[in-house]
PDB file of all heavy atoms in Angstrom:
ATOM      1  N   LEU N   2      63.279  46.005 156.520  1.00 46.00           N
ATOM      2  CA  LEU N   2      63.878  47.116 155.752  1.00 46.00           C
ATOM      3  C   LEU N   2      64.937  47.796 156.655  1.00 46.00           C
ATOM      4  O   LEU N   2      64.876  47.712 157.826  1.00 46.00           O
ATOM      5  CB  LEU N   2      62.759  48.114 155.423  1.00 46.00           C
ATOM      6  CG  LEU N   2      61.723  47.542 154.463  1.00 46.00           C
ATOM      7  CD1 LEU N   2      60.552  48.522 154.364  1.00 46.00           C
ATOM      8  CD2 LEU N   2      62.310  47.327 153.083  1.00 46.00           C
ATOM      9  N   GLY N 111      77.667  31.788 147.457  1.00 96.00           N
ATOM     10  CA  GLY N 111      77.983  31.988 146.037  1.00 96.00           C
ATOM     11  C   GLY N 111      77.457  30.857 145.133  1.00 96.00           C
ATOM     12  O   GLY N 111      76.604  31.084 144.294  1.00 96.00           O
ATOM     13  N   THR N 115      70.019  27.999 139.190  1.00 95.00           N
ATOM     14  CA  THR N 115      68.720  28.623 138.861  1.00 95.00           C
ATOM     15  C   THR N 115      68.083  27.643 137.813  1.00 95.00           C
ATOM     16  O   THR N 115      68.744  27.138 136.929  1.00 95.00           O
ATOM     17  CB  THR N 115      68.980  29.944 138.126  1.00 95.00           C
ATOM     18  OG1 THR N 115      69.668  30.840 139.033  1.00 95.00           O
ATOM     19  CG2 THR N 115      67.619  30.641 137.812  1.00 95.00           C
ATOM     20  N   GLU N 125      48.566  31.848 135.346  1.00 80.00           N
ATOM     21  CA  GLU N 125      48.037  33.044 136.055  1.00 80.00           C
ATOM     22  C   GLU N 125      48.557  33.127 137.460  1.00 80.00           C
ATOM     23  O   GLU N 125      48.924  32.113 138.075  1.00 80.00           O
ATOM     24  CB  GLU N 125      46.496  32.980 136.089  1.00 80.00           C
ATOM     25  CG  GLU N 125      45.771  33.775 135.025  1.00 80.00           C
ATOM     26  CD  GLU N 125      45.937  35.251 135.181  1.00 80.00           C
ATOM     27  OE1 GLU N 125      45.566  35.787 136.241  1.00 80.00           O
ATOM     28  OE2 GLU N 125      46.436  35.957 134.215  1.00 80.00           O
ATOM     29  N   HIS N 126      48.524  34.353 138.028  1.00 74.00           N
ATOM     30  CA  HIS N 126      48.911  34.536 139.390  1.00 74.00           C
ATOM     31  C   HIS N 126      47.944  33.843 140.318  1.00 74.00           C
ATOM     32  O   HIS N 126      46.726  33.895 140.118  1.00 74.00           O
ATOM     33  CB  HIS N 126      48.807  36.084 139.709  1.00 74.00           C
ATOM     34  CG  HIS N 126      50.083  36.673 140.202  1.00 74.00           C
ATOM     35  ND1 HIS N 126      50.639  36.277 141.338  1.00 74.00           N
ATOM     36  CD2 HIS N 126      50.899  37.581 139.586  1.00 74.00           C
ATOM     37  CE1 HIS N 126      51.807  36.984 141.480  1.00 74.00           C
ATOM     38  NE2 HIS N 126      51.961  37.769 140.443  1.00 74.00           N
ATOM     39  N   ILE N 128      47.483  33.072 144.794  1.00 71.00           N
ATOM     40  CA  ILE N 128      47.934  33.765 146.046  1.00 71.00           C
ATOM     41  C   ILE N 128      49.108  32.947 146.550  1.00 71.00           C
ATOM     42  O   ILE N 128      48.924  32.068 147.384  1.00 71.00           O
ATOM     43  CB  ILE N 128      46.810  33.887 147.099  1.00 71.00           C
ATOM     44  CG1 ILE N 128      45.655  34.656 146.520  1.00 71.00           C
ATOM     45  CG2 ILE N 128      47.414  34.554 148.328  1.00 71.00           C
ATOM     46  CD1 ILE N 128      44.633  35.021 147.537  1.00 71.00           C
ATOM     47  N   ASP N 130      51.917  34.682 147.457  1.00 63.00           N
ATOM     48  CA  ASP N 130      52.865  35.635 147.971  1.00 63.00           C
ATOM     49  C   ASP N 130      52.701  35.883 149.492  1.00 63.00           C
ATOM     50  O   ASP N 130      53.363  36.707 150.085  1.00 63.00           O
ATOM     51  CB  ASP N 130      52.678  36.991 147.267  1.00 63.00           C
ATOM     52  CG  ASP N 130      53.957  37.842 147.300  1.00 63.00           C
ATOM     53  OD1 ASP N 130      55.010  37.255 147.620  1.00 63.00           O
ATOM     54  OD2 ASP N 130      53.888  39.038 147.100  1.00 63.00           O
ATOM     55  N   THR N 170      62.230  39.713 135.302  1.00 93.00           N
ATOM     56  CA  THR N 170      62.508  41.010 134.630  1.00 93.00           C
ATOM     57  C   THR N 170      63.876  41.007 133.992  1.00 93.00           C
ATOM     58  O   THR N 170      64.233  42.028 133.320  1.00 93.00           O
ATOM     59  CB  THR N 170      62.368  42.212 135.566  1.00 93.00           C
ATOM     60  OG1 THR N 170      63.272  41.991 136.648  1.00 93.00           O
ATOM     61  CG2 THR N 170      60.952  42.339 136.068  1.00 93.00           C
ATOM     62  N   ARG N 172      64.664  39.158 131.603  1.00 91.00           N
ATOM     63  CA  ARG N 172      64.573  38.644 130.238  1.00 91.00           C
ATOM     64  C   ARG N 172      65.294  39.623 129.331  1.00 91.00           C
ATOM     65  O   ARG N 172      65.279  40.830 129.576  1.00 91.00           O
ATOM     66  CB  ARG N 172      63.118  38.499 129.798  1.00 91.00           C
ATOM     67  CG  ARG N 172      62.250  37.619 130.695  1.00 91.00           C
ATOM     68  CD  ARG N 172      62.792  36.224 130.827  1.00 91.00           C
ATOM     69  NE  ARG N 172      62.891  35.474 129.590  1.00 91.00           N
ATOM     70  CZ  ARG N 172      63.604  34.306 129.440  1.00 91.00           C
ATOM     71  NH1 ARG N 172      64.259  33.824 130.509  1.00 91.00           N
ATOM     72  NH2 ARG N 172      63.621  33.716 128.310  1.00 91.00           N
ATOM     73  N   GLY N 174      66.270  42.013 125.964  1.00 94.00           N
ATOM     74  CA  GLY N 174      65.546  42.800 124.967  1.00 94.00           C
ATOM     75  C   GLY N 174      64.583  43.851 125.614  1.00 94.00           C
ATOM     76  O   GLY N 174      64.620  44.059 126.776  1.00 94.00           O
ATOM     77  N   PHE N 175      63.747  44.370 124.734  1.00 97.00           N
ATOM     78  CA  PHE N 175      62.752  45.388 125.190  1.00 97.00           C
ATOM     79  C   PHE N 175      61.557  45.356 124.260  1.00 97.00           C
ATOM     80  O   PHE N 175      61.541  44.595 123.269  1.00 97.00           O
ATOM     81  CB  PHE N 175      63.380  46.781 125.203  1.00 97.00           C
ATOM     82  CG  PHE N 175      63.857  47.260 123.847  1.00 97.00           C
ATOM     83  CD1 PHE N 175      62.978  47.913 122.966  1.00 97.00           C
ATOM     84  CD2 PHE N 175      65.181  47.042 123.410  1.00 97.00           C
ATOM     85  CE1 PHE N 175      63.439  48.360 121.697  1.00 97.00           C
ATOM     86  CE2 PHE N 175      65.569  47.468 122.156  1.00 97.00           C
ATOM     87  CZ  PHE N 175      64.718  48.125 121.354  1.00 97.00           C
ATOM     88  N   GLY N 176      60.515  46.085 124.629  1.00 98.00           N
ATOM     89  CA  GLY N 176      59.352  46.151 123.763  1.00 98.00           C
ATOM     90  C   GLY N 176      58.301  45.080 124.075  1.00 98.00           C
ATOM     91  O   GLY N 176      58.358  44.474 125.172  1.00 98.00           O
ATOM     92  N   LYS N 177      57.373  44.875 123.163  1.00 98.00           N
ATOM     93  CA  LYS N 177      56.252  43.973 123.418  1.00 98.00           C
ATOM     94  C   LYS N 177      56.739  42.567 123.782  1.00 98.00           C
ATOM     95  O   LYS N 177      56.121  41.881 124.614  1.00 98.00           O
ATOM     96  CB  LYS N 177      55.313  43.903 122.256  1.00 98.00           C
ATOM     97  CG  LYS N 177      54.438  45.110 122.145  1.00 98.00           C
ATOM     98  CD  LYS N 177      53.306  44.905 121.137  1.00 98.00           C
ATOM     99  CE  LYS N 177      52.421  46.167 121.132  1.00 98.00           C
ATOM    100  NZ  LYS N 177      51.355  46.114 120.178  1.00 98.00           N
ATOM    101  N   TYR N 179      59.572  41.626 125.156  1.00 97.00           N
ATOM    102  CA  TYR N 179      60.117  41.655 126.526  1.00 97.00           C
ATOM    103  C   TYR N 179      58.969  41.622 127.537  1.00 97.00           C
ATOM    104  O   TYR N 179      58.992  40.839 128.477  1.00 97.00           O
ATOM    105  CB  TYR N 179      60.952  42.885 126.752  1.00 97.00           C
ATOM    106  CG  TYR N 179      61.417  43.162 128.173  1.00 97.00           C
ATOM    107  CD1 TYR N 179      62.242  42.275 128.835  1.00 97.00           C
ATOM    108  CD2 TYR N 179      60.934  44.318 128.878  1.00 97.00           C
ATOM    109  CE1 TYR N 179      62.612  42.529 130.129  1.00 97.00           C
ATOM    110  CE2 TYR N 179      61.296  44.519 130.145  1.00 97.00           C
ATOM    111  CZ  TYR N 179      62.175  43.663 130.824  1.00 97.00           C
ATOM    112  OH  TYR N 179      62.504  43.889 132.098  1.00 97.00           O
ATOM    113  N   LYS N 180      58.007  42.488 127.335  1.00 98.00           N
ATOM    114  CA  LYS N 180      56.891  42.591 128.254  1.00 98.00           C
ATOM    115  C   LYS N 180      56.135  41.275 128.383  1.00 98.00           C
ATOM    116  O   LYS N 180      55.719  40.805 129.501  1.00 98.00           O
ATOM    117  CB  LYS N 180      55.944  43.714 127.810  1.00 98.00           C
ATOM    118  CG  LYS N 180      54.918  44.122 128.832  1.00 98.00           C
ATOM    119  CD  LYS N 180      54.072  45.221 128.259  1.00 98.00           C
ATOM    120  CE  LYS N 180      52.982  45.645 129.217  1.00 98.00           C
ATOM    121  NZ  LYS N 180      51.961  46.518 128.638  1.00 98.00           N
ATOM    122  N   ARG N 184      55.816  38.648 131.671  1.00 96.00           N
ATOM    123  CA  ARG N 184      54.522  38.145 132.140  1.00 96.00           C
ATOM    124  C   ARG N 184      54.496  36.617 132.136  1.00 96.00           C
ATOM    125  O   ARG N 184      54.113  36.026 133.101  1.00 96.00           O
ATOM    126  CB  ARG N 184      53.437  38.719 131.182  1.00 96.00           C
ATOM    127  CG  ARG N 184      52.032  38.672 131.731  1.00 96.00           C
ATOM    128  CD  ARG N 184      51.167  39.696 131.085  1.00 96.00           C
ATOM    129  NE  ARG N 184      51.331  39.660 129.604  1.00 96.00           N
ATOM    130  CZ  ARG N 184      51.431  40.749 128.887  1.00 96.00           C
ATOM    131  NH1 ARG N 184      51.414  41.958 129.409  1.00 96.00           N
ATOM    132  NH2 ARG N 184      51.530  40.634 127.548  1.00 96.00           N
ATOM    133  N   ILE N 255      68.960  26.217 134.190  1.00 94.00           N
ATOM    134  CA  ILE N 255      69.319  27.236 133.226  1.00 94.00           C
ATOM    135  C   ILE N 255      70.598  27.956 133.619  1.00 94.00           C
ATOM    136  O   ILE N 255      71.171  28.740 132.840  1.00 94.00           O
ATOM    137  CB  ILE N 255      68.225  28.218 132.940  1.00 94.00           C
ATOM    138  CG1 ILE N 255      67.785  28.927 134.225  1.00 94.00           C
ATOM    139  CG2 ILE N 255      67.039  27.541 132.244  1.00 94.00           C
ATOM    140  CD1 ILE N 255      66.846  30.080 133.927  1.00 94.00           C
ATOM    141  N   ASP N 258      75.896  28.678 139.194  1.00 96.00           N
ATOM    142  CA  ASP N 258      76.942  29.545 139.683  1.00 96.00           C
ATOM    143  C   ASP N 258      77.962  28.717 140.428  1.00 96.00           C
ATOM    144  O   ASP N 258      77.599  28.042 141.414  1.00 96.00           O
ATOM    145  CB  ASP N 258      76.385  30.652 140.614  1.00 96.00           C
ATOM    146  CG  ASP N 258      75.754  31.742 139.866  1.00 96.00           C
ATOM    147  OD1 ASP N 258      76.365  32.268 138.875  1.00 96.00           O
ATOM    148  OD2 ASP N 258      74.570  32.115 140.153  1.00 96.00           O
ATOM    149  N   GLU N 260      81.151  30.104 141.317  1.00 94.00           N
ATOM    150  CA  GLU N 260      82.121  30.937 142.024  1.00 94.00           C
ATOM    151  C   GLU N 260      81.754  31.221 143.454  1.00 94.00           C
ATOM    152  O   GLU N 260      80.606  31.527 143.780  1.00 94.00           O
ATOM    153  CB  GLU N 260      82.200  32.275 141.279  1.00 94.00           C
ATOM    154  CG  GLU N 260      83.440  32.386 140.437  1.00 94.00           C
ATOM    155  CD  GLU N 260      83.304  33.630 139.531  1.00 94.00           C
ATOM    156  OE1 GLU N 260      83.562  34.723 140.106  1.00 94.00           O
ATOM    157  OE2 GLU N 260      82.900  33.488 138.426  1.00 94.00           O
ATOM    158  N   TRP N 266      81.921  38.398 152.387  1.00 95.00           N
ATOM    159  CA  TRP N 266      80.693  38.678 151.687  1.00 95.00           C
ATOM    160  C   TRP N 266      79.483  38.375 152.560  1.00 95.00           C
ATOM    161  O   TRP N 266      78.433  39.083 152.535  1.00 95.00           O
ATOM    162  CB  TRP N 266      80.544  37.912 150.385  1.00 95.00           C
ATOM    163  CG  TRP N 266      79.367  38.275 149.578  1.00 95.00           C
ATOM    164  CD1 TRP N 266      78.108  37.849 149.773  1.00 95.00           C
ATOM    165  CD2 TRP N 266      79.333  39.227 148.503  1.00 95.00           C
ATOM    166  NE1 TRP N 266      77.268  38.400 148.883  1.00 95.00           N
ATOM    167  CE2 TRP N 266      77.981  39.270 148.087  1.00 95.00           C
ATOM    168  CE3 TRP N 266      80.273  39.998 147.871  1.00 95.00           C
ATOM    169  CZ2 TRP N 266      77.605  40.073 147.055  1.00 95.00           C
ATOM    170  CZ3 TRP N 266      79.891  40.815 146.801  1.00 95.00           C
ATOM    171  CH2 TRP N 266      78.555  40.836 146.403  1.00 95.00           C
TER     172      TRP N 266
ATOM    173  N   ARG R   3      58.673  51.591 154.413  1.00 36.00           N
ATOM    174  CA  ARG R   3      57.655  50.564 154.550  1.00 36.00           C
ATOM    175  C   ARG R   3      56.286  51.231 154.599  1.00 36.00           C
ATOM    176  O   ARG R   3      55.304  50.788 154.067  1.00 36.00           O
ATOM    177  CB  ARG R   3      57.891  49.741 155.763  1.00 36.00           C
ATOM    178  CG  ARG R   3      56.741  48.846 156.106  1.00 36.00           C
ATOM    179  CD  ARG R   3      57.113  47.837 157.113  1.00 36.00           C
ATOM    180  NE  ARG R   3      58.140  46.966 156.518  1.00 36.00           N
ATOM    181  CZ  ARG R   3      58.163  45.660 156.802  1.00 36.00           C
ATOM    182  NH1 ARG R   3      57.251  45.139 157.621  1.00 36.00           N
ATOM    183  NH2 ARG R   3      59.061  44.946 156.302  1.00 36.00           N
ATOM    184  N   ILE R  51      58.961  52.726 125.117  1.00 98.00           N
ATOM    185  CA  ILE R  51      59.399  51.806 124.069  1.00 98.00           C
ATOM    186  C   ILE R  51      59.848  50.505 124.708  1.00 98.00           C
ATOM    187  O   ILE R  51      59.598  49.403 124.221  1.00 98.00           O
ATOM    188  CB  ILE R  51      60.596  52.419 123.259  1.00 98.00           C
ATOM    189  CG1 ILE R  51      60.129  53.636 122.480  1.00 98.00           C
ATOM    190  CG2 ILE R  51      61.113  51.406 122.229  1.00 98.00           C
ATOM    191  CD1 ILE R  51      61.238  54.405 121.780  1.00 98.00           C
ATOM    192  N   ILE R  52      60.462  50.611 125.881  1.00 98.00           N
ATOM    193  CA  ILE R  52      60.886  49.422 126.605  1.00 98.00           C
ATOM    194  C   ILE R  52      59.718  48.584 127.097  1.00 98.00           C
ATOM    195  O   ILE R  52      59.660  47.402 126.896  1.00 98.00           O
ATOM    196  CB  ILE R  52      61.851  49.802 127.788  1.00 98.00           C
ATOM    197  CG1 ILE R  52      63.151  50.387 127.220  1.00 98.00           C
ATOM    198  CG2 ILE R  52      62.127  48.591 128.692  1.00 98.00           C
ATOM    199  CD1 ILE R  52      64.056  50.971 128.308  1.00 98.00           C
ATOM    200  N   PRO R  54      55.887  48.886 126.262  1.00 98.00           N
ATOM    201  CA  PRO R  54      54.801  49.573 125.579  1.00 98.00           C
ATOM    202  C   PRO R  54      53.438  49.006 126.026  1.00 98.00           C
ATOM    203  O   PRO R  54      53.348  47.998 126.671  1.00 98.00           O
ATOM    204  CB  PRO R  54      55.067  49.252 124.109  1.00 98.00           C
ATOM    205  CG  PRO R  54      55.770  47.901 124.156  1.00 98.00           C
ATOM    206  CD  PRO R  54      56.519  47.822 125.454  1.00 98.00           C
ATOM    207  N   THR R  55      52.398  49.701 125.593  1.00 98.00           N
ATOM    208  CA  THR R  55      51.025  49.165 125.755  1.00 98.00           C
ATOM    209  C   THR R  55      50.894  47.958 124.868  1.00 98.00           C
ATOM    210  O   THR R  55      51.336  47.921 123.722  1.00 98.00           O
ATOM    211  CB  THR R  55      50.013  50.261 125.329  1.00 98.00           C
ATOM    212  OG1 THR R  55      50.202  51.384 126.193  1.00 98.00           O
ATOM    213  CG2 THR R  55      48.630  49.788 125.418  1.00 98.00           C
ATOM    214  N   ASP R  56      50.275  46.922 125.376  1.00 98.00           N
ATOM    215  CA  ASP R  56      49.951  45.771 124.526  1.00 98.00           C
ATOM    216  C   ASP R  56      48.515  45.367 124.816  1.00 98.00           C
ATOM    217  O   ASP R  56      47.789  46.061 125.499  1.00 98.00           O
ATOM    218  CB  ASP R  56      50.943  44.636 124.705  1.00 98.00           C
ATOM    219  CG  ASP R  56      50.940  43.990 126.075  1.00 98.00           C
ATOM    220  OD1 ASP R  56      50.090  44.401 126.891  1.00 98.00           O
ATOM    221  OD2 ASP R  56      51.744  43.088 126.328  1.00 98.00           O
ATOM    222  N   SER R  59      47.841  45.197 128.843  1.00 98.00           N
ATOM    223  CA  SER R  59      47.922  46.316 129.825  1.00 98.00           C
ATOM    224  C   SER R  59      48.552  47.542 129.202  1.00 98.00           C
ATOM    225  O   SER R  59      49.266  47.447 128.229  1.00 98.00           O
ATOM    226  CB  SER R  59      48.773  45.835 131.009  1.00 98.00           C
ATOM    227  OG  SER R  59      50.067  45.541 130.559  1.00 98.00           O
ATOM    228  N   PRO R  60      48.252  48.709 129.783  1.00 98.00           N
ATOM    229  CA  PRO R  60      48.950  49.933 129.340  1.00 98.00           C
ATOM    230  C   PRO R  60      50.448  49.855 129.576  1.00 98.00           C
ATOM    231  O   PRO R  60      50.904  49.027 130.355  1.00 98.00           O
ATOM    232  CB  PRO R  60      48.332  51.037 130.226  1.00 98.00           C
ATOM    233  CG  PRO R  60      47.070  50.407 130.801  1.00 98.00           C
ATOM    234  CD  PRO R  60      47.310  48.971 130.843  1.00 98.00           C
ATOM    235  N   GLU R 125      73.867  44.100 125.764  1.00 63.00           N
ATOM    236  CA  GLU R 125      73.259  43.477 126.907  1.00 63.00           C
ATOM    237  C   GLU R 125      73.759  42.060 127.087  1.00 63.00           C
ATOM    238  O   GLU R 125      73.904  41.293 126.132  1.00 63.00           O
ATOM    239  CB  GLU R 125      71.744  43.455 126.740  1.00 63.00           C
ATOM    240  CG  GLU R 125      70.977  42.972 127.988  1.00 63.00           C
ATOM    241  CD  GLU R 125      69.493  43.030 127.786  1.00 63.00           C
ATOM    242  OE1 GLU R 125      69.005  43.049 126.637  1.00 63.00           O
ATOM    243  OE2 GLU R 125      68.778  43.045 128.806  1.00 63.00           O
ATOM    244  N   GLY R 130      69.890  33.144 133.474  1.00 46.00           N
ATOM    245  CA  GLY R 130      69.947  32.355 134.681  1.00 46.00           C
ATOM    246  C   GLY R 130      71.001  32.678 135.688  1.00 46.00           C
ATOM    247  O   GLY R 130      71.064  32.000 136.748  1.00 46.00           O
ATOM    248  N   ARG R 132      72.280  34.228 138.797  1.00 44.00           N
ATOM    249  CA  ARG R 132      71.614  34.839 139.951  1.00 44.00           C
ATOM    250  C   ARG R 132      72.297  36.169 140.281  1.00 44.00           C
ATOM    251  O   ARG R 132      71.796  36.938 141.062  1.00 44.00           O
ATOM    252  CB  ARG R 132      71.591  33.920 141.187  1.00 44.00           C
ATOM    253  CG  ARG R 132      70.699  32.771 141.000  1.00 44.00           C
ATOM    254  CD  ARG R 132      71.088  31.553 141.866  1.00 44.00           C
ATOM    255  NE  ARG R 132      71.219  31.930 143.254  1.00 44.00           N
ATOM    256  CZ  ARG R 132      72.361  31.904 143.966  1.00 44.00           C
ATOM    257  NH1 ARG R 132      73.444  31.524 143.404  1.00 44.00           N
ATOM    258  NH2 ARG R 132      72.363  32.206 145.212  1.00 44.00           N
ATOM    259  N   ARG R 136      73.589  42.359 139.741  1.00 39.00           N
ATOM    260  CA  ARG R 136      74.534  43.083 140.512  1.00 39.00           C
ATOM    261  C   ARG R 136      75.646  43.678 139.632  1.00 39.00           C
ATOM    262  O   ARG R 136      76.467  44.396 140.143  1.00 39.00           O
ATOM    263  CB  ARG R 136      75.187  42.170 141.580  1.00 39.00           C
ATOM    264  CG  ARG R 136      74.302  41.926 142.754  1.00 39.00           C
ATOM    265  CD  ARG R 136      75.037  41.220 143.814  1.00 39.00           C
ATOM    266  NE  ARG R 136      74.186  40.309 144.497  1.00 39.00           N
ATOM    267  CZ  ARG R 136      74.561  39.109 144.925  1.00 39.00           C
ATOM    268  NH1 ARG R 136      75.748  38.693 144.744  1.00 39.00           N
ATOM    269  NH2 ARG R 136      73.677  38.324 145.509  1.00 39.00           N
ATOM    270  N   LYS R 151      66.733  50.371 131.465  1.00 96.00           N
ATOM    271  CA  LYS R 151      65.818  49.253 131.410  1.00 96.00           C
ATOM    272  C   LYS R 151      65.504  48.777 132.853  1.00 96.00           C
ATOM    273  O   LYS R 151      64.352  48.528 133.166  1.00 96.00           O
ATOM    274  CB  LYS R 151      66.413  48.088 130.644  1.00 96.00           C
ATOM    275  CG  LYS R 151      65.530  46.871 130.540  1.00 96.00           C
ATOM    276  CD  LYS R 151      66.136  45.795 129.645  1.00 96.00           C
ATOM    277  CE  LYS R 151      65.505  44.417 129.910  1.00 96.00           C
ATOM    278  NZ  LYS R 151      66.134  43.364 129.143  1.00 96.00           N
ATOM    279  N   THR R 155      61.780  49.022 134.376  1.00 97.00           N
ATOM    280  CA  THR R 155      61.161  47.785 134.865  1.00 97.00           C
ATOM    281  C   THR R 155      60.722  47.877 136.282  1.00 97.00           C
ATOM    282  O   THR R 155      59.604  47.549 136.666  1.00 97.00           O
ATOM    283  CB  THR R 155      62.209  46.675 134.672  1.00 97.00           C
ATOM    284  OG1 THR R 155      62.518  46.507 133.301  1.00 97.00           O
ATOM    285  CG2 THR R 155      61.615  45.336 135.130  1.00 97.00           C
ATOM    286  N   ASP R 168      48.783  44.313 134.562  1.00 96.00           N
ATOM    287  CA  ASP R 168      49.637  43.422 133.812  1.00 96.00           C
ATOM    288  C   ASP R 168      49.866  42.101 134.524  1.00 96.00           C
ATOM    289  O   ASP R 168      49.671  41.051 133.925  1.00 96.00           O
ATOM    290  CB  ASP R 168      51.029  44.104 133.588  1.00 96.00           C
ATOM    291  CG  ASP R 168      51.846  43.254 132.642  1.00 96.00           C
ATOM    292  OD1 ASP R 168      51.550  43.345 131.402  1.00 96.00           O
ATOM    293  OD2 ASP R 168      52.726  42.526 133.080  1.00 96.00           O
ATOM    294  N   GLN R 169      50.294  42.128 135.775  1.00 92.00           N
ATOM    295  CA  GLN R 169      50.670  40.866 136.447  1.00 92.00           C
ATOM    296  C   GLN R 169      49.456  40.161 137.071  1.00 92.00           C
ATOM    297  O   GLN R 169      49.548  39.025 137.468  1.00 92.00           O
ATOM    298  CB  GLN R 169      51.700  41.166 137.532  1.00 92.00           C
ATOM    299  CG  GLN R 169      53.058  41.597 136.947  1.00 92.00           C
ATOM    300  CD  GLN R 169      53.824  40.429 136.353  1.00 92.00           C
ATOM    301  OE1 GLN R 169      53.986  39.390 137.001  1.00 92.00           O
ATOM    302  NE2 GLN R 169      54.199  40.583 135.075  1.00 92.00           N
ATOM    303  N   HIS R 170      48.336  40.852 137.200  1.00 88.00           N
ATOM    304  CA  HIS R 170      47.175  40.270 137.873  1.00 88.00           C
ATOM    305  C   HIS R 170      47.531  39.750 139.241  1.00 88.00           C
ATOM    306  O   HIS R 170      47.146  38.624 139.611  1.00 88.00           O
ATOM    307  CB  HIS R 170      46.540  39.170 137.043  1.00 88.00           C
ATOM    308  CG  HIS R 170      46.085  39.658 135.709  1.00 88.00           C
ATOM    309  ND1 HIS R 170      45.849  38.817 134.612  1.00 88.00           N
ATOM    310  CD2 HIS R 170      45.845  40.921 135.249  1.00 88.00           C
ATOM    311  CE1 HIS R 170      45.513  39.541 133.574  1.00 88.00           C
ATOM    312  NE2 HIS R 170      45.464  40.783 133.907  1.00 88.00           N
ATOM    313  N   TYR R 171      48.272  40.543 140.012  1.00 85.00           N
ATOM    314  CA  TYR R 171      48.746  40.104 141.320  1.00 85.00           C
ATOM    315  C   TYR R 171      47.584  39.907 142.234  1.00 85.00           C
ATOM    316  O   TYR R 171      46.665  40.648 142.302  1.00 85.00           O
ATOM    317  CB  TYR R 171      49.638  41.199 141.865  1.00 85.00           C
ATOM    318  CG  TYR R 171      50.157  40.951 143.244  1.00 85.00           C
ATOM    319  CD1 TYR R 171      51.007  39.872 143.514  1.00 85.00           C
ATOM    320  CD2 TYR R 171      49.756  41.756 144.354  1.00 85.00           C
ATOM    321  CE1 TYR R 171      51.450  39.633 144.789  1.00 85.00           C
ATOM    322  CE2 TYR R 171      50.233  41.500 145.613  1.00 85.00           C
ATOM    323  CZ  TYR R 171      51.068  40.446 145.834  1.00 85.00           C
ATOM    324  OH  TYR R 171      51.551  40.212 147.073  1.00 85.00           O
ATOM    325  N   LYS R 172      47.605  38.808 142.951  1.00 78.00           N
ATOM    326  CA  LYS R 172      46.470  38.453 143.837  1.00 78.00           C
ATOM    327  C   LYS R 172      46.841  38.402 145.257  1.00 78.00           C
ATOM    328  O   LYS R 172      46.013  38.021 146.131  1.00 78.00           O
ATOM    329  CB  LYS R 172      45.863  37.114 143.421  1.00 78.00           C
ATOM    330  CG  LYS R 172      45.209  37.171 142.063  1.00 78.00           C
ATOM    331  CD  LYS R 172      44.350  35.911 141.866  1.00 78.00           C
ATOM    332  CE  LYS R 172      43.793  35.851 140.460  1.00 78.00           C
ATOM    333  NZ  LYS R 172      44.896  35.710 139.445  1.00 78.00           N
TER     334      LYS R 172
END
Side-chain angles (χ1 to χ4, degrees):
Chain N
L2 294 170
T115 304
E125 260 293 301
H126 239 295
I128 300 188
D130 205 18
T170 57
R172 302 304 299 166
F175 61 88
K177 282 193 178 177
Y179 169 66
K180 192 180 178 192
R184 197 156 48 224
I255 57 170
D258 281 310
E260 258 169 78
W266 186 278
Chain R
R3 171 168 293 216
I51 297 173
I52 293 171
T55 297
D56 66 2
S59 60
E125 189 176 19
R132 290 155 55 243
R136 283 190 214 141
K151 181 176 161 184
T155 299
D168 189 78
Q169 293 285 307
H170 301 161
Y171 177 66
K172 292 193 186 66

